[in-house]
Amino acid sequence: MRCLEPSRLVAPLVPLFLLLGAAVDAPVAHAQEYIPDLVCPAVGGSSPTRRPSSSDEEVVPIDLDALGDALEPPPEADPQLAAQFRPGVAGVRGPGIRRLAIWGDSHIASGVFGDELRRILGLGGIDTGNAFIPPFMPRRGVRIPVRAFCVGSAWSLSMAYVSRVEINAGPALAEMRVDGDPDGAYLWLDLRDAQREPEALRLRMLYRPMAGEAEISVSVNEGPEESYFLEAASDHDEPAPKEIYFEDGDLLSTVRIRVVTGQVALQGFFVDKITEPSLTVDVFGIPGATANGWAVANPQHLSAAFYERGYDAVVLEFGTNEAAGDFDPVRYSQMLDRALMNMRKVFPDAACLLVGAPDRGTVIRRKRGGRGASPSVDQLLRHSRIHVRINEIQAEVGATFGCSAWDWQQAMGGAGSAYRWSRMSPPLMSGDLIHLTAPGYRRSAGALARHLGWSQ
């Protein structure tokens, strides 16, 4: 397999918007049996261990009757929202969204929630696919929308939501960083579909220029490595990510990237595919995330990243992590206001939905066989009541920016529903009473799909 010359693959020192729109003749998709599967290098070290719960402790049983009756779930379909989020049909002109992005926290990071939404859309005749690969590879337990990948230990993940000042965040509100390491600064991607068929025409790597020039080596379809130089930051540049792209005379199966020298801040990959689905669905979920990632993101930088590749609809799924610790509703309202203001600068006309925090309980332990007063309702509903306020604020602030709100907690049955869901068979809530189980996420995704009019 021949790799194209560097001049065909990369446009150094050119702004992002000049790199778009280059048409290529679409190769015919066929199995590439001669390109092997990725085999990641063996790494040493020990797996992290989790401290087991003490054998002389037990979870205090909860009297569900003390929590009151479950709320009636809201109406399943919202006609106005369903009209805004109605999927278009590939190849057919007419109304309907064709590009959807979902930003969120650990509730969507594992992929179960998003996979169920895609499955439901598929049952309705809407084929889906992704157009962006987020740079979450260094973080375990996060779904990456590629067939397989290998990532070196030299990479670290930097998240926008932890920042207190404005930053030039990428589309996923995160970036992978590395300072040239000959052993651990590699990233390999298998871009084929689940049936091992290639579908990618071109891979566009988005990066944020650093203080000095960096060099990377790239192998496409297991071909020879070629060297490319990433542009250094300049005080004269407008805030915008830079982009280089990789393509071949054939469809792309694997791309191997290795940082040779310098610092690299990789903000993800756009993928141009041979066929376009009815609905592109990109999911950006990372454990611990909050809406603050949008509040601190430079909208000018983000707008440049999405140049001519914006979304028709956006979903922001946040709230659980904002409610942790010392929650201040005034501060939260102000932060959410900044987040939605920035979002609207990037996507002024997109349909918008805020998905609030699901219910949360409190695990209370005591010495095994011990006696004492049962936990009070105030103890049991401490987090639940904060989540109620979170959802109320999302509805209030969201309305000022043309965003609807879906109250996940109310859809579960309201405050205290985490305890009820944990006792269902199979359990819909995990043992920490914060996260749902896979069946719980599927059930919740189904409720949201009905709310959006994607199913009955």
Side-chain angles (χ1 to χ4, degrees):
M1 181 66 59
R2 182 178 64 87
C3 253
L4 299 182
E5 295 300 318
S7 61
R8 297 279 302 279
L9 288 174
V10 60
L13 308 181
V14 178
L16 172 64
F17 63 85
L18 294 180
L19 293 172
L20 307 179
V24 297
D25 293 331
V28 178
H30 62 279
Q32 297 180 336
E33 298 295 339
Y34 51 88
I35 296 182
D37 292 339
L38 296 179
V39 178
C40 298
V43 295
S46 58
S47 300
T49 57
R50 182 179 295 175
R51 181 181 177 185
S53 59
S54 174
S55 60
D56 64 348
E57 288 185 341
E58 63 181 359
V59 176
V60 176
I62 303 301
D63 178 10
L64 296 183
D65 291 337
L67 301 178
D69 296 330
L71 292 177
E72 281 292 323
E76 291 191 332
D78 181 329
Q80 182 177 355
L81 190 63
Q84 293 175 345
F85 276 79
R86 183 176 63 179
V89 179
V92 177
R93 285 192 173 185
I97 63 171
R98 286 175 170 80
R99 291 177 61 84
L100 165 68
I102 306 174
W103 284 268
D105 52 31
S106 57
H107 293 304
I108 65 170
S110 69
V112 177
F113 194 97
D115 286 350
E116 182 65 8
L117 289 179
R118 293 187 185 93
R119 187 190 71 82
I120 292 170
L121 286 163
L123 293 176
I126 303 298
D127 61 305
T128 62
N130 73 292
F132 192 82
I133 303 171
F136 296 156
M137 294 78 172
R139 182 67 180 269
R140 293 184 179 181
V142 176
R143 175 71 62 85
I144 309 296
V146 294
R147 180 172 178 265
F149 70 89
C150 300
V151 62
S153 59
W155 292 96
S156 62
L157 183 63
S158 176
M159 299 300 305
Y161 74 86
V162 301
S163 178
R164 296 186 177 183
V165 297
E166 184 178 74
I167 60 173
N168 291 331
L173 305 181
E175 62 187 22
M176 294 169 56
R177 295 179 184 173
V178 72
D179 192 348
D181 180 329
D183 297 320
Y186 61 85
L187 176 62
W188 304 344
L189 303 174
D190 187 331
L191 302 174
R192 292 170 287 192
D193 65 18
Q195 288 71 46
R196 213 170 177 272
E197 291 287 343
E199 58 179 355
L201 288 166
R202 183 186 293 114
L203 185 69
R204 302 177 182 271
M205 187 182 100
L206 218 61
Y207 70 94
R208 180 173 60 85
M210 302 295 278
E213 187 180 67
E215 179 185 358
I216 64 172
S217 288
V218 180
S219 168
V220 177
N221 287 346
E222 304 303 305
E225 284 192 335
E226 299 285 357
S227 292
Y228 308 99
F229 294 89
L230 307 187
E231 182 178 350
S234 169
D235 294 336
H236 305 292
D237 287 344
E238 294 291 334
K242 303 297 180 181
E243 180 179 293
I244 62 175
Y245 60 89
F246 315 114
E247 58 186 16
D248 195 52
D250 203 347
L251 296 176
L252 302 184
S253 288
T254 62
V255 174
R256 296 177 182 243
I257 300 170
R258 179 172 60 89
V259 179
V260 180
T261 59
Q263 294 179 317
V264 174
L266 195 159
Q267 296 191 334
F269 302 88
F270 284 103
V271 186
D272 300 332
K273 298 184 179 181
I274 192 170
T275 58
E276 185 175 347
S278 296
L279 181 61
T280 294
V281 182
D282 289 322
V283 179
F284 308 108
I286 195 76
T290 70
N292 188 59
W294 270 103
V296 299
N298 182 345
Q300 188 176 354
H301 184 92
L302 271 177
S303 294
F306 288 118
Y307 181 78
E308 292 188 349
R309 293 176 292 199
Y311 294 102
D312 306 313
V314 299
V315 175
L316 304 186
E317 178 277 310
F318 295 108
T320 296
N321 297 305
E322 287 91 330
D326 187 14
F327 176 69
D328 183 331
V330 174
R331 270 203 314 266
Y332 175 69
S333 297
Q334 293 170 344
M335 181 271 289
L336 185 60
D337 186 89
R338 292 194 302 272
L340 295 182
M341 184 182 301
N342 284 341
M343 184 277 295
R344 278 301 181 203
K345 290 178 181 178
V346 181
F347 306 118
D349 302 317
C352 171
L353 176 66
L354 304 185
V355 172
D359 194 47
R360 175 179 173 177
T362 302
V363 179
I364 299 176
R365 297 181 179 275
R366 67 184 178 192
K367 286 195 173 183
R368 189 171 298 279
R371 296 184 178 182
S374 298
S376 68
V377 172
D378 286 342
Q379 285 178 289
L380 296 176
L381 297 185
R382 174 175 172 267
H383 296 292
S384 292
R385 289 168 175 168
I386 296 175
H387 284 206
V388 168
R389 188 65 187 122
I390 286 276
N391 284 290
E392 291 172 346
I393 293 172
Q394 288 195 5
E396 294 163 4
V397 178
T400 65
F401 293 93
C403 294
S404 299
W406 183 63
D407 191 326
W408 191 345
Q409 183 183 37
Q410 187 177 6
M412 292 174 61
S417 55
Y419 300 103
R420 298 184 181 92
W421 278 41
S422 70
R423 294 193 183 181
M424 291 185 178
S425 182
L428 302 181
M429 204 77 191
S430 68
D432 65 6
L433 296 179
I434 302 173
H435 300 92
L436 284 62
T437 61
Y441 284 124
R442 294 190 188 100
R443 177 166 169 170
S444 298
L448 177 58
R450 290 189 293 273
H451 189 66
L452 294 173
W454 293 351
S455 66
Q456 299 299 319

